[in-house]
Every structure is written in structure tokens, then in C-alpha cells.
Amino acid sequence: MKTLFAMIATASAIGSAAAAQEVCMSAAEMQSSLIDWYGEEPVAGPSPDNTRLWVSDASGTWTLVRTMADGAACVEATGENWSPGRDASEMLAALEARDKG
């Protein structure tokens, strides 16, 4: 039952994911922005393709960020409906699968 709930919650979060506008900046600036402006913290990653999931338990927002070889970081997707206790690694894998498929 817990697994079913996690799958539904992940699907809900992915379904509400907004296609992010191309927003890129230095990785340090991206980190500061996510922390200071959105209260988000990294919870999963970096994955093999250098993506990392940032979330805010307080506001329920999340941001998927990819760091490039040149040191720039770009927003891949954003969304809402994050809740404390979610499996961040599972959500990161689901978001990456969505982008590849």
C-alpha cells in the first residue's frame, strides 16, 4: 500500500511539473538562488547525468537542476506538491525517465 501511494504521489508531482524555461547561471549562483529565494535544499543526486533535485518542505516546491561541464547549472523542470517524507531518489528517477521517454 505504501508503494502504491508513493507511485501515485510521484505521478502526481510529475504530472504537475512545468516545463521550465531555459534558466542557466553559474552553479554557485543557482545554489544561492534556490536556497535564498525558494528555501529549497538538495535531496537527491547528482545522478549520472549531473541532475540534482532540490525541494522545499515548507512551500512544497521542487526544482530539477542539471550542472554542465562548464560550471553552468540549468533548470530542467519545476513543480509543486512536494511533501516531507517523499522518496526523492524515486522522484528523480521518474523525472529523468520522463525526459528520456
Side-chain angles (χ1 to χ4, degrees):
M1 183 68 165
K2 185 176 181 181
T3 303
L4 176 61
F5 177 73
M7 290 172 58
I8 292 169
T10 300
S12 172
I14 293 170
S16 67
Q21 290 182 323
E22 186 71 18
V23 175
C24 296
M25 58 189 71
S26 74
E29 186 178 3
M30 179 70 74
Q31 178 178 333
S32 293
S33 298
L34 292 171
I35 292 169
D36 295 342
W37 297 350
Y38 302 103
E40 295 181 355
E41 298 179 2
V43 293
S47 68
D49 66 351
N50 281 332
T51 55
R52 178 167 279 195
L53 183 63
W54 292 70
V55 304
S56 170
D57 288 342
S59 68
T61 61
W62 58 266
T63 306
L64 184 64
V65 176
R66 181 181 315 268
T67 302
M68 308 302 177
D70 65 0
C74 298
V75 174
E76 295 285 313
T78 62
E80 298 177 345
N81 301 325
W82 176 263
S83 59
R86 275 188 125 153
D87 185 334
S89 296
E90 183 179 293
M91 184 172 172
L92 178 59
L95 285 166
E96 288 177 332
R98 179 201 68 171
D99 287 343
K100 290 177 184 171

